[in-house]
Amino acid sequence: MLSIEILIAFFSASLLLALVPGPDNIFVLTQSVFQGKKSGLTIMFGLCTGLIFHTLAVAFGVAVIFQTSVMAFTILKIVGAMYLLYLAWQIFNAPSEKIDTKNNNTLIDYKKLYYRGIIMNITNPKVSIFFLAFLPQFTNPALGSVTLQMILLGTLFIIATILIFGSIALLSGSLAKVFNKSEKSQKILNKLAAFVFLGLAVKLITTKQ
């Protein structure tokens, strides 16, 4: 199975990527600030439930590609690397995010919030594309089932997301000030994440079947 060093590297990268300001963690933050921490946690669990779907889809699909087709593997590798480079460029140049404080709904349907999180995640093709580009490069066919390796990595990614998004929900008040006022901290996070994506793209393009 995968070495502890690989798992630690993957988990560390996952934590950093979950920290980067984006639609999902901004949504968790806004729900927590204006509808309570329970709302933010509900959305977080919905989003992470959606990640289970993406993990299984990518794990079973990519495992077949690893094992059967050199051409398909090469195409996947090139497309994945190009997408990671695009993400690096996009995040590096991303503007600072601000929270919309105009609306504060008092009636909360937690069941609907949970399903909203699931639907948001499952219907976002960028998540599947990201998993296709991110998970395979931490696997090693020589160490056993690629499918099981990617399920393990997907589980670690979900745990990292729960830790970061859960922290955002629980610390929503102070984090809201950071997201709205500290452009410097956002830019530092963006640049760190951009370099992570760049490194992943290089690693992916040099990966052999």
Side-chain angles (χ1 to χ4, degrees):
M1 211 53 183
L2 295 173
S3 68
I4 189 66
E5 291 81 7
I6 292 293
L7 294 177
I8 290 174
F10 175 85
F11 190 69
S12 299
S14 299
L15 288 172
L16 176 59
L17 297 177
L19 273 170
V20 176
D24 286 349
N25 50 23
I26 290 290
F27 188 45
V28 171
L29 179 58
T30 54
Q31 288 292 325
S32 302
V33 171
F34 303 114
Q35 294 188 342
K37 296 175 182 179
K38 186 177 178 180
S39 293
L41 291 172
T42 302
I43 285 290
M44 178 267 291
F45 282 118
L47 292 168
C48 290
T49 301
L51 288 176
I52 296 173
F53 168 83
H54 289 292
T55 297
L56 294 177
V58 171
F60 287 102
V62 174
V64 173
I65 293 175
F66 263 92
Q67 295 167 1
T68 60
S69 173
V70 175
M71 181 178 292
F73 174 78
T74 302
I75 292 173
L76 173 62
K77 185 170 69 170
I78 293 172
V79 171
M82 290 176 63
Y83 182 67
L84 288 170
L85 289 173
Y86 166 74
L87 287 178
W89 176 83
Q90 190 177 51
I91 291 176
F92 190 85
N93 295 285
S96 300
E97 299 277 358
K98 281 192 176 290
I99 301 171
D100 181 4
T101 60
K102 295 180 180 179
N103 297 314
N104 184 5
N105 300 320
T106 55
L107 297 177
I108 303 171
D109 188 329
Y110 293 107
K111 188 175 181 180
K112 285 185 178 180
L113 280 178
Y114 175 71
Y115 287 131
R116 183 185 300 174
I118 295 175
I119 293 171
M120 280 177 61
N121 194 273
I122 288 180
T123 57
N124 185 356
K126 290 183 178 180
V127 179
S128 287
I129 296 172
F130 172 70
F131 267 38
L132 279 168
F134 187 49
L135 298 187
Q137 56 190 300
F138 287 90
T139 64
N140 185 347
L143 298 178
S145 170
V146 173
T147 300
L148 292 179
Q149 289 179 47
M150 283 196 283
I151 289 175
L152 172 60
L153 293 172
T155 301
L156 287 177
F157 189 90
I158 292 170
I159 292 172
T161 303
I162 289 174
L163 289 175
I164 297 301
F165 284 19
S167 298
I168 288 174
L170 295 175
L171 301 173
S172 52
S174 57
L175 285 173
K177 297 177 182 178
V178 173
F179 273 70
N180 273 345
K181 295 181 180 180
S182 180
E183 294 186 6
K184 183 178 180 180
S185 62
Q186 288 190 47
K187 289 179 180 178
I188 291 173
L189 275 177
N190 286 345
K191 286 179 171 55
L192 283 173
F195 282 114
V196 169
F197 281 124
L198 180 61
L200 291 173
V202 173
K203 186 177 185 299
L204 180 58
I205 204 65
T206 57
T207 299
K208 296 181 179 180
Q209 189 176 23

